Amino acid sequence: MHIPPGMVAVAALSGLVAAAATVLLTVIAGRRVGPRRPAHVLLAVAAGVALLSLLAGVVAALGANHHWAAEQGQRTGWATAVAIGTAVSGLAFAAGLLWLPGVAATAAGRARLALDGLVVAAALWFVGWVLFSEPTRLLGMATPMACPAILVATVSAALGAGLAATVVFRAALRRRLTALGLGISAVTCGGMGLSTGLCQAGPTIALTGAAVLAAGLLAVALAAHWADRPGQAEVDLIGQDGEYGIAPMIAMTASAMHHLAQDGRFTAPGVVAASVEGFALVARQYLTLRDVREYAGRLVEREAHFRELAHTDPLTTLANRRGLLRALHAAAAAGTPCVLLGLDLDGFKNVNDMRGHDVGDAVLAEVGRRLRSNLRPGDVAARLGGDEFAVLMQGQPAEADRVAERLLGVLNRPYDEPEGPVFLSVSIGVAGWAGEPDVELLLRHADLALRYAKQRGKNRIERYDAAYDKLLRRRTTVEHELRGAIERDELRLAFQPVASLPSVRPVGAEALLRWHHPELGNVGPDEFIPLAEECGMIAPLGAWVLHQACYQLSRWLADGHDVWVSVNVSPHELHAPAYVVQVAEALRAHHVPPQRLVLEVTEHAVATDLDELIRRLTALRLTGVRIALDDFGAGYSSLGQLRRLPIDILKIDHSLVAEHEPVRPVDQDGPAFAPMVDIVMRLGHQLGLEVIAEGVTAPTELAAVVAAGCRFGQGALFGWGVPAEHLEAMLEAATSPGARSAPLPAPRRVPGGYAQVTPPADGASPGDAPTSVDQHVGAVDSSREMRQA
């Protein structure tokens, strides 16, 4: 047989291309370092073996061209050698492909991919065996006869194609691996063609296979050169593994049915291929099952970890509210005697506001460490949120009291921080099971005890008492009913008279809020006013009182009574920007002269923000109303603050009026007097202020304040808070023929903006002072004008 020169050229070119590709792969392997190097070394070795197989096959094909038919046995030996070399090369290529970085992270991952490739390879080989064997014989008379070389070559080709397809289709970056997979498949298929040509088909098939093998080597070399990181396999143990077993089995089943339909027989190679497929699938599913079990184990561990995190406070590493509830429910189920301590840091908000949240977090972490180090084994410390903590103790209440005392001392110690120590105290509430274990009830009792400890001055321990429930229920009911008291018309104003001294004639009144509930009865202002301030109801209540007082005052003025009315103002109302407008609108709506309305501010307001208070009071005085400082002497305002405050009236606190023994003048004749009232009187006159003595309850106190020069008094001696009609009767009696009231003087403005009142001359009675018309007051809705004493 004569081989054309063109085929010789193809053979030579194939050898050169294969050699160049092998050299390129060798150079790439030499340059790679780290985890890439083993894979590229395997690729270079596989290329070398494939090159040797190609050269051997080409030499055998070209050398036997003149005696092709006579040298069948020799060519079969060469074909077997080429097939074995190609198979070794294919296995090396497969190993290099599996060891590429990103294809499989672990040995188990590589084993899974190898088994998947084996499953696909067995299916490919079995389908090919059915198509090319009796009775199908897809190529008819050109179908090669069975020989060892062809068998080995077909197995190698199926393995290469199956593994390459598996890796390519399971990789995230398929484009980078596609060229590599196709190159490996081309090398194994080219080796199969070269072996088949040497064994039976002739030199044309052999040299064509050599060309395909060389092209595959070139594709592998170029892919290895371009792909720095070929790709990453996405191994989904649950979602994707099934399709790699189902698709090959469907192909094998369809091929087997076709083979049987054509009266074919299953020979040993077919049975072996089917057995390999079955064993590979079983092994693959075993690995998958093992992976799933490991994955499930990791999920259980992570679930336990996250469950523990869900019951742990991340800042202090103590239990959180869920962790405490879990411990409480466990103790309740076991019937274990338990005591719950509720702890709250006093003044912690100031730490966050003044020192920052970082310092606050450091303090909370230190609180957690102190709690852990001062509890017994088995006790559970928890952070419930913010600066609120809890400790669940197993044992009797007496032992819990000792632990609470220890914690009170431990948590009160300074907290050392880089910017300086932080000083805090703690309030503790203690509660135990009340009869049968009840988790929610225990939490509620501990919280009530803690709130009671806060209300009673903080930095203390309080044990739960059933009376707390009554107080809380009462408080909750009062707060709820207060929100609809105005709409239900349950509120009334009582007026306590202010009397001129010593004539004891009513010249003014203080409006006092009263609440009568159809079920609760009379609710005292000491109970519902603090609640109104806490729940935000003080503003609507204050507005109602202001309008009702102005309405009643306008009626009295219209009836000709010479009187003024004072209204108490809470700090919350006073600091509201709209309060000045609200006062002006009330005066305008009820046609009340501004000087007839007095707004009383307690000394508690002075303790909040003095500068802001001065701005608010100044704005109110611009409307024409007068300002009284109530409860003066209770201990909040200083003399320096008193000089700055824009006020008109001082109301002396009853504690200064109710002195035990009035003082008599030294070496002088005259009535006994109250020294503190005398001092305040002199101070008030020096500052240009009028003074009213509150809490006058006995004739001796009346004589003392009169002796001190006080012109106005208020207290039980002159009358309690009475309805408007009762006070009106008192005013009618005071204005009857022969009786004349001495109203509180309207202040005279001076350049400094303060009011000045000229006290009566020595020896003159305040009630007998001459009268004159105040030109600053203006006309009122009555026949008389406001007079000043």
Side-chain angles (χ1 to χ4, degrees):
M1 176 183 290
H2 177 70
I3 297 178
M7 297 186 66
V8 175
V10 169
L13 182 60
S14 299
L16 291 175
V17 170
T22 303
V23 172
L24 180 58
L25 285 171
T26 303
V27 173
I28 293 173
R31 293 178 178 177
R32 292 290 187 263
V33 293
R36 298 183 178 88
R37 185 176 178 82
H40 288 282
V41 168
L42 285 172
L43 293 179
V45 171
V49 175
L51 175 62
L52 295 177
S53 301
L54 182 146
L55 293 178
V58 169
V59 169
L62 294 178
N65 56 359
H66 297 291
H67 308 285
W68 187 266
E71 297 177 353
Q72 178 66 38
Q74 183 179 0
R75 286 187 291 102
T76 301
W78 281 106
T80 303
V82 170
I84 294 175
T86 304
V88 172
S89 174
L91 293 176
F93 272 126
L97 180 62
L98 291 176
W99 253 270
L100 280 173
V103 173
T106 62
R110 287 188 286 271
R112 285 192 294 269
L113 288 176
L115 284 174
D116 289 339
L118 182 60
V119 169
V120 175
L124 289 175
W125 192 94
F126 185 83
V127 171
W129 175 79
V130 168
L131 295 177
F132 290 98
S133 62
E134 294 288 350
T136 303
R137 295 180 64 84
L138 184 63
L139 299 180
M141 297 302 296
T143 301
M145 301 300 293
C147 73
I150 295 177
L151 181 63
V152 173
T154 55
V155 170
S156 174
L159 285 174
L163 183 61
T166 301
V167 173
V168 168
F169 284 102
R170 296 189 68 178
L173 303 176
R174 295 180 179 179
R175 183 180 301 176
R176 296 185 178 184
L177 286 179
T178 299
L180 190 60
L182 290 176
I184 294 173
S185 300
V187 169
T188 54
C189 291
M192 180 182 67
L194 184 57
S195 299
T196 303
L198 288 176
C199 186
Q200 294 180 6
T204 302
I205 297 297
L207 294 179
T208 302
V212 173
L213 189 153
L217 285 178
L218 182 61
V220 170
L222 294 177
H225 176 69
W226 289 335
D228 182 47
R229 189 171 184 265
Q232 183 177 358
E234 290 182 339
V235 181
D236 187 350
L237 299 178
I238 298 175
Q240 293 186 357
D241 273 4
E243 63 191 50
Y244 293 100
I246 293 175
M249 285 301 300
I250 291 176
M252 291 185 67
T253 302
S255 301
M257 295 299 294
H258 172 74
H259 189 68
L260 291 174
Q262 298 294 327
D263 293 330
R265 296 179 179 274
F266 286 100
T267 60
V271 174
V272 170
S275 301
V276 169
E277 180 76 6
F279 282 113
L281 285 174
V282 170
R284 183 63 181 88
Q285 294 307 312
Y286 171 76
L287 289 179
T288 300
L289 179 61
R290 190 185 68 175
D291 290 339
V292 170
R293 287 175 178 173
E294 292 179 356
Y295 183 68
R298 290 194 300 270
L299 285 180
V300 171
E301 293 177 358
R302 291 179 181 178
E303 181 183 4
H305 175 67
F306 286 118
R307 186 183 295 112
E308 191 62 28
L309 287 180
H311 293 83
T312 304
D313 176 61
L315 178 61
T316 62
T317 68
L318 301 177
N320 59 12
R321 186 178 292 275
R322 293 189 187 93
L324 178 65
L325 288 175
R326 180 177 61 178
L328 281 170
H329 283 293
T336 306
C338 289
V339 177
L340 183 62
L341 277 63
L343 302 92
D344 190 89
L345 301 178
D346 304 325
F348 180 75
K349 184 178 183 300
N350 294 331
V351 177
N352 280 337
D353 293 343
M354 304 303 295
R355 305 284 291 272
H357 288 274
D358 291 341
V359 175
D361 290 346
V363 170
L364 293 176
E366 176 61 22
V367 170
R369 286 189 290 269
R370 293 185 186 183
L371 286 177
R372 279 193 302 270
S373 59
N374 286 275
L375 295 179
R376 307 167 306 170
D379 294 341
V380 178
R383 180 189 175 211
L384 304 183
D387 60 340
E388 187 177 356
F389 295 82
V391 174
L392 178 62
M393 302 178 58
Q394 299 181 3
Q396 298 302 321
E399 189 173 1
D401 290 339
R402 291 193 295 270
V403 174
E405 290 287 351
R406 184 169 70 250
L407 292 179
L408 187 67
V410 167
L411 297 180
N412 281 352
R413 292 202 299 263
Y415 297 84
D416 295 328
E417 296 297 329
E419 298 180 359
V422 175
F423 298 93
L424 292 173
S425 61
V426 64
S427 300
I428 302 178
V430 183
W433 295 126
E436 292 296 325
D438 189 328
V439 172
E440 297 299 329
L441 191 61
L442 180 61
L443 287 169
R444 182 170 175 270
H445 288 175
D447 185 61
L448 283 175
L450 177 59
R451 292 175 60 183
Y452 197 61
K454 287 280 193 181
Q455 293 176 1
R456 297 194 66 183
K458 305 178 182 179
N459 192 25
R460 60 188 297 121
I461 300 171
E462 288 292 338
R463 176 169 286 280
Y464 169 77
D465 192 303
Y468 299 165
D469 274 337
K470 296 180 180 179
L471 293 174
L472 181 61
R473 282 195 294 269
R474 170 77 178 186
R475 179 187 179 90
T476 304
T477 303
V478 169
E479 179 181 343
H480 180 269
E481 295 299 321
L482 181 61
R483 295 185 180 278
I486 296 176
E487 291 76 8
R488 296 191 301 268
D489 196 26
E490 297 172 357
L491 300 179
R492 295 290 183 271
L493 285 186
F495 296 89
Q496 186 176 25
V498 178
S500 173
L501 302 181
S503 62
V504 195
R505 296 190 182 110
V507 294
E510 180 179 353
L512 304 174
L513 182 60
R514 297 292 182 261
W515 178 21
H516 180 78
H517 189 271
E519 296 180 0
L520 300 176
N522 292 323
V523 184
D526 291 342
E527 181 179 4
F528 70 82
I529 291 298
L531 277 178
E533 292 180 345
E534 290 183 15
C535 68
M537 278 291 296
I538 194 63
L541 286 181
W544 185 88
V545 171
L546 178 64
H547 279 273
Q548 290 296 318
C550 289
Y551 168 74
Q552 187 60 55
L553 178 58
S554 68
R555 292 191 59 183
W556 285 335
L557 293 176
D559 291 340
H561 297 297
D562 199 4
V563 67
W564 82 87
V565 171
S566 64
V567 174
N568 292 282
V569 183
S570 74
H572 294 79
E573 293 179 278
L574 192 60
H575 289 284
Y579 187 69
V580 176
V581 178
Q582 182 180 344
V583 170
E585 290 179 350
L587 293 172
R588 183 170 55 254
H590 299 286
H591 306 288
V592 172
Q595 293 83 358
R596 299 286 185 170
L597 180 64
V598 178
L599 300 179
E600 296 190 13
V601 181
T602 64
E603 280 195 311
H604 295 274
V606 180
T608 54
D609 188 344
L610 182 61
D611 293 334
E612 179 66 17
L613 178 65
I614 291 174
R615 287 192 292 270
R616 297 295 182 184
L617 294 181
T618 302
L620 284 171
R621 292 187 75 201
L622 291 176
T623 65
V625 300
R626 289 176 293 182
I627 307 296
L629 182 61
D630 198 10
D631 299 332
F632 181 75
Y636 283 91
S637 58
S638 65
L639 295 179
Q641 292 172 338
L642 191 61
R643 295 185 61 184
R644 296 181 58 193
L645 288 173
I647 60 175
D648 303 285
I649 304 168
L650 276 183
K651 299 189 73 173
I652 306 175
D653 188 70
H654 66 88
S655 62
L656 302 183
V657 175
E659 293 181 311
H660 297 291
E661 292 293 337
V663 178
R664 293 187 176 277
V666 180
D667 299 331
Q668 294 182 13
D669 294 332
F673 66 93
M676 294 303 299
V677 176
D678 182 72
I679 292 173
V680 175
M681 282 296 306
R682 295 177 184 273
L683 175 64
H685 289 162
Q686 289 294 325
L687 295 176
L689 306 176
E690 190 57 82
V691 180
I692 300 176
E694 289 187 293
V696 180
T697 59
T700 56
E701 296 174 353
L702 173 61
V705 297
V706 170
C710 188
R711 303 175 61 204
F712 301 95
Q714 182 179 352
L717 187 63
F718 313 118
W720 297 102
V722 295
E725 56 268 21
H726 291 183
L727 184 63
E728 186 172 356
M730 298 172 63
L731 294 173
E732 290 288 349
T735 56
S736 61
R740 182 175 57 85
S741 64
L744 184 68
R748 180 168 54 88
R749 302 298 176 183
V750 296
Y754 293 94
Q756 287 187 346
V757 177
T758 304
D762 294 339
S765 172
D768 299 330
T771 63
S772 62
V773 178
D774 181 7
Q775 300 298 329
H776 296 280
V777 174
V780 296
D781 296 333
S782 66
S783 59
R784 73 180 63 176
E785 296 176 336
M786 183 177 181
R787 306 176 185 272
Q788 66 176 6

